[in-house]
Amino acid sequence: MISSTTSAKEEKSTSSSKSVAAPEKESAVHCNFIINKSIHKRMKYLAIDLNKSLKDIVNEAMEEYLEKHER
C-alpha cells in the first residue's frame, strides 16, 4: 500500500493557510531508494550550477521520463 508521510495535522495547516491567489502546491512524499554514487554526484553538482535543489532536479527528471514513457 502506498501512503503519504505527511501527517493529517500538516495537511490541515497547509490547507487552512492557502490564500485565494496562490496556486495549489502538490503534496510531497519521502522516497528512499539507492542510486549510483556517480549519478548522485553529477545531479548534485547540476543542481548547484542551476541554483536548484536536488529534489527539484530529480522531480524534473522523473516528469520528463514519465512524459516520454507514459501512454
Side-chain angles (χ1 to χ4, degrees), residues 50-61:
L50 297 174
N51 197 29
K52 294 184 176 187
S53 68
L54 183 56
K55 178 187 84 167
D56 291 338
I57 299 294
V58 171
N59 275 326
E60 287 178 27

Side-chain angles (χ1 to χ4, degrees), residues 2-4 7 12 15 17-18 21 23 25 30 33-34 37 41 43 51 56-57 63 67:
I2 298 174
S3 64
S4 173
S7 70
K12 185 178 180 182
S15 64
S17 63
K18 290 180 188 172
K25 188 173 182 180
H30 288 263
F33 50 88
I34 298 172
K37 191 173 188 174
K41 184 177 179 179
M43 291 185 74
N51 197 29
D56 291 338
I57 299 294
E63 284 286 342
E67 286 175 12

Side-chain angles (χ1 to χ4, degrees), residues 2 5-7 12-13 17-19 21 26 29 31 38 40-41 46 48 50 54 56-57 63 65 67-68 70-71:
I2 298 174
T5 56
T6 305
S7 70
K12 185 178 180 182
S13 68
S17 63
K18 290 180 188 172
S19 67
E26 187 172 349
V29 295
C31 295
S38 62
H40 178 263
K41 184 177 179 179
L46 178 61
I48 292 167
L50 297 174
L54 183 56
D56 291 338
I57 299 294
E63 284 286 342
Y65 186 89
E67 286 175 12
K68 182 177 177 182
E70 280 183 335
R71 296 171 193 211

